[in-house]
Amino acid sequence: MTERPIKVGDTVRLSFGFADRSGEGDYEIIRVMPARESGERHYRVRGIDGRERAIGHDQIIVSKAKAKSPVPGSRG
């Protein structure tokens, strides 16, 4: 199965915490950074606390696309 690409606006959950466990939780992808020489993608993310972090793709355990708002006046 092919992995779904992670895009700006997606929400991800990290597989680690910092020493004080402050890094755990959900983050929004705010920028996709260039891949490293190893080929691993890196991302700039923002947590609910407003802090931004740079993370590697291998640090993400769950990703889900941001739900798009329905178009005003549409039904369905």
Side-chain angles (χ1 to χ4, degrees):
M1 181 165 90
T2 305
E3 194 172 294
R4 185 185 63 74
I6 296 173
K7 300 177 183 171
V8 171
D10 286 355
T11 300
V12 297
R13 179 168 291 272
L14 302 186
S15 63
F16 70 94
F18 293 89
D20 64 357
R21 309 303 284 176
S22 66
E24 294 179 317
D26 290 337
Y27 290 81
E28 179 181 358
I29 301 291
I30 58 172
R31 189 172 85 173
V32 178
M33 298 165 40
R36 299 248 171 130
E37 287 183 26
S38 66
E40 181 188 11
R41 269 284 177 210
H42 278 73
Y43 307 92
R44 191 78 183 162
V45 297
R46 182 180 299 126
I48 58 171
D49 61 1
R51 289 183 174 175
E52 293 184 12
R53 295 181 167 90
I55 61 166
H57 188 83
D58 65 342
Q59 295 170 306
I60 296 171
I61 55 171
V62 175
S63 79
K64 50 188 172 177
K66 188 175 186 178
K68 295 189 183 261
S69 300
V71 177
S74 67
R75 295 180 188 248

